[in-house]
Amino acid sequence: MIFTPENYKLWDCWILRHEGKYYLFHLALKKERLGKGSWDGINLALSDDLIHWEEYGRVLDKSPDAEWIGTGTVQKIGDRFIMNFSEEKPAGRQRVYFAESRDLLHWERLPEVCRPDGVYYMDGAERIANCIPRWDSIGVVDAMEDNGPPYYGFVTSNTLQYELPNKSGSLGLVTSEDGLNWKCLPNAFPDTSAFPQFEVPEHFEINGRHYVTFCTSSYLGFRFDDLSEDMSGGTFYVVSDSLTGPYRKPEADCMLQGTRNNEKVSIVTVGRPLIIDGKIYYYHIWGDNGPDGWVGTVKLLDEEKPYKLRLLYNPVNDKMKGRLLADGGILRSLAQVNRIGGTPSVGLVADGGLKFVGTGTAGAFDAQSLNGSVGGKISDLSDGRILSFSLTLNGGEGAGAYFKTKDGRRIGFMLNKKRSRLEFGEIKNGWAGNSVFIGDLYQKCAAAETSNVLLFVRREFFEVYVNGGYVSSWRSGADIDPNAFGVYFEDSDGEMSDLKIYQMK
């Protein structure tokens, strides 16, 4: 949503802070090679604020005899940095390789190799049908703290201790004295029927409780996810009272970010923690099946109660708030879409706020143009908008906001009080004078008596916070017109107030 390279495709990223500057390493693929191969190297971007990024460029190419290069982590040991990353090399085998740097900009490959041991973890594809056995990067514990050995790390893996060979995804555990030579320890999460894989595992500790976050998805989500009836994917977490485990699922839902029970999995995955001044930040990418990843807004990762995590709004995102384009006065300009009969589909009274009264149907209302910047290069955030408003729903279904696309469609979100969820989708003209909200993706979200809504929207991306808590992200697949804003009401009574629309900067 806020960063992707101009001339490369982006996927997994790993961010670190060193001497006041942020370093964003990411898997990269030259755009001219799209469709001709997988990730061909690791690129770097730099930032002073975690929001505005400047491309540095390629720092490591995949080995010429590797099929592809995989995700990584950077560890600080003394006056040097060690990056571990995976490659499929040789073909059909995934290994972890290493590179070294003194300045985080220039990297030199090292000869060491970390491989699954064949005792605890699969090495060859002979025992599995889904894919090659995984051995994908080492998520080193406290990687930038330089606390000295022994070092511990978690790795995406397939255990040899399984009931069914294609339910063998495991949370690999390794230890090292030097950050280069790693010894395998038993799988840290014994239940192989709980998750398809433990991609990009990352450890952190809160009040003596140990968490490991990871991302996973399954087009047969119900095969693994007890709470899913359909596809399931996102970033999850498991817990333990000891760093080395065993880890277990918490009693509460362990999906930190993601979707389930939808016709598609919203790929807002590869989420990772970053500890800044004692607070745990959370960053992630937005993908699609292209592949085409963007870095999202930064969240705060918080422990709601013991063994229960949540994502909150991070004030660092306030740095994107630019010129005020509109306030509540814009609501006096609303024009109903698809009005046919003599009675409006929704009764509106604009008096400071906007009171709406349902008449048994739904209505979309276009506002006057916002007259803000439409942006330029990918790195120019001024084509984005930040909306905030308070929404009181006294009864009925729900209400929300939308933007027109460049081809005239209306796409947006609705807070559905009746169904206790937030929905993303398209508003279409229905039968007679109705406007119909056609849902594409939804997330559970109970509406309070009055909900403070915060929306980030840019290009094809929508992201919503309600009452300070992160709810969901949606990649619509259609570029918006950032100046064509409107509101939508579905068979509901209430009030929209304190509206403000800012241009991103």
Side-chain angles (χ1 to χ4, degrees):
M1 184 182 199
I2 62 175
F3 171 72
T4 200
E6 288 282 348
N7 298 310
Y8 290 85
K9 295 295 185 181
L10 170 149
W11 206 245
D12 296 25
C13 64
W14 50 104
I15 299 176
L16 59 92
R17 185 175 69 163
H18 180 62
E19 295 182 347
K21 187 171 285 292
Y22 296 95
Y23 296 75
L24 186 156
F25 297 91
H26 66 86
L27 297 184
L29 174 67
K30 297 182 180 69
K31 288 186 177 179
E32 62 267 24
R33 293 194 67 249
L34 188 63
K36 300 176 182 177
S38 190
W39 307 109
D40 55 25
I42 294 171
N43 282 23
L44 173 65
L46 303 171
S47 174
D48 294 320
D49 62 5
L50 269 178
I51 299 296
H52 303 91
W53 295 93
E54 181 180 350
E55 291 184 59
Y56 177 83
R58 180 60 55 92
V59 295
L60 194 70
D61 285 307
K62 81 171 182 68
S63 175
D65 53 347
E67 299 293 316
W68 46 268
I69 193 167
T71 193
T73 301
V74 174
Q75 181 181 10
K76 186 178 186 300
I77 299 180
D79 62 352
R80 64 179 181 157
F81 301 93
I82 297 172
M83 182 190 298
N84 75 74
F85 54 93
S86 74
E87 289 182 323
E88 185 183 339
K89 188 181 78 170
R93 302 286 190 273
Q94 193 173 13
R95 305 276 190 263
V96 173
Y97 297 88
F98 302 88
E100 180 183 53
S101 175
R102 300 284 173 171
D103 61 3
L104 292 170
L105 303 177
H106 305 89
W107 294 86
E108 182 178 351
R109 282 181 177 259
L110 298 173
E112 285 81 3
V113 182
C114 175
R115 57 175 57 86
D117 59 359
V119 176
Y120 296 117
Y121 305 105
M122 288 187 193
D123 188 17
E126 297 80 8
R127 302 193 183 200
I128 192 170
N130 286 355
C131 61
I132 64 172
R134 304 304 309 277
W135 196 251
D136 193 10
S137 170
I138 302 169
V140 180
V141 176
D142 298 330
M144 290 294 292
E145 297 301 315
D146 196 16
N147 291 328
Y151 305 111
Y152 290 93
F154 296 91
V155 58
T156 309
S157 59
N158 288 85
T159 183
L160 284 166
Q161 284 70 51
Y162 56 75
E163 292 186 11
L164 298 171
N166 293 302
K167 285 189 174 182
S168 58
S170 57
L171 182 60
L173 179 63
V174 292
T175 186
S176 174
E177 295 293 321
D178 61 4
L180 294 172
N181 297 281
W182 292 84
K183 174 186 176 183
C184 293
L185 299 174
N187 170 29
F189 186 84
D191 182 4
T192 61
S193 67
F195 303 101
Q197 294 287 355
F198 292 77
E199 296 264 10
V200 199
E202 294 275 2
H203 169 276
F204 55 91
E205 182 180 352
I206 301 178
N207 297 324
R209 292 177 285 274
H210 296 266
Y211 296 88
V212 171
T213 57
F214 57 94
C215 63
T216 195
S217 64
S218 174
Y219 287 97
L220 297 172
F222 48 84
R223 179 161 57 107
F224 291 93
D225 188 343
D226 293 338
L227 299 177
S228 175
E229 296 179 358
D230 210 319
M231 298 180 191
S232 175
T235 297
F236 296 75
Y237 62 93
V238 291
V239 300
S240 177
D241 298 312
S242 167
L243 187 155
T244 57
Y247 285 78
R248 64 187 183 275
K249 291 175 69 173
E251 293 183 4
D253 183 6
C254 61
M255 178 181 278
L256 183 62
Q257 178 193 28
T259 57
R260 53 165 64 97
N261 299 338
N262 286 276
E263 292 183 1
K264 69 176 182 180
V265 173
S266 178
I267 306 179
V268 285
T269 184
V270 195
R272 291 180 162 179
L274 174 66
I275 299 177
I276 302 294
D277 300 328
K279 295 183 179 179
I280 304 176
Y281 286 20
Y282 175 88
Y283 62 93
H284 63 96
I285 69 165
W286 295 34
D288 65 12
N289 293 325
D292 183 15
W294 289 65
V295 179
T297 63
V298 184
K299 283 77 178 169
L300 279 175
L301 197 160
D302 175 67
E303 191 181 53
E304 183 178 1
K305 60 182 180 180
Y307 304 113
K308 173 60 176 174
L309 300 178
R310 61 182 175 180
L311 295 175
L312 302 175
Y313 179 73
N314 192 328
V316 72
N317 296 308
D318 289 347
K319 297 171 184 176
M320 283 188 283
K321 190 177 288 185
R323 182 165 64 97
L324 180 66
L325 299 178
D327 58 16
I330 197 175
L331 298 174
R332 291 192 291 271
S333 73
L334 296 177
Q336 183 178 335
V337 177
N338 194 33
R339 180 171 176 176
I340 296 177
T343 300
S345 60
V346 180
L348 301 181
V349 177
D351 182 16
L354 181 71
K355 294 182 174 63
F356 51 93
V357 179
T359 60
T361 184
F365 297 81
D366 291 342
Q368 67 187 32
S369 175
L370 295 177
N371 197 29
S373 170
V374 295
K377 295 176 62 177
I378 286 176
S379 58
D380 180 4
L381 301 183
S382 67
D383 58 356
R385 301 292 180 260
I386 302 173
L387 283 71
S388 62
F389 57 86
S390 293
L391 182 63
T392 300
L393 291 170
N394 297 323
E397 203 79 13
Y402 62 85
F403 281 82
K404 288 185 182 179
T405 64
K406 292 179 179 178
D407 60 359
R409 296 157 54 202
R410 293 173 176 84
I411 58 175
F413 76 96
M414 177 176 70
L415 184 59
N416 192 323
K417 181 175 182 178
K418 183 177 180 180
R419 303 179 190 278
S420 294
R421 65 192 198 187
L422 187 136
E423 303 172 357
F424 294 100
E426 180 176 354
I427 298 162
K428 296 185 176 182
N429 290 342
W431 179 78
N434 285 302
S435 294
V436 182
F437 189 95
I438 307 298
D440 182 61
L441 183 150
Y442 69 85
Q443 194 72 266
K444 291 181 179 179
C445 178
E449 181 175 343
T450 297
S451 298
N452 295 314
V453 179
L454 179 63
L455 169 70
F456 286 79
V457 57
R458 182 178 182 230
R459 296 184 176 237
E460 58 182 289
F461 305 100
F462 286 73
E463 185 165 89
V464 176
Y465 296 82
V466 175
N467 294 328
Y470 167 75
V471 181
S472 193
S473 305
W474 179 51
R475 188 169 185 170
S476 68
D479 279 345
I480 67 161
D481 176 347
N483 289 322
F485 163 75
V487 290
Y488 175 77
F489 307 100
E490 185 168 308
D491 191 19
S492 57
D493 302 333
E495 182 175 6
M496 182 179 288
S497 60
D498 300 321
L499 174 71
K500 290 183 173 58
I501 305 176
Y502 297 90
Q503 179 173 295
M504 286 188 187
K505 66 175 182 177

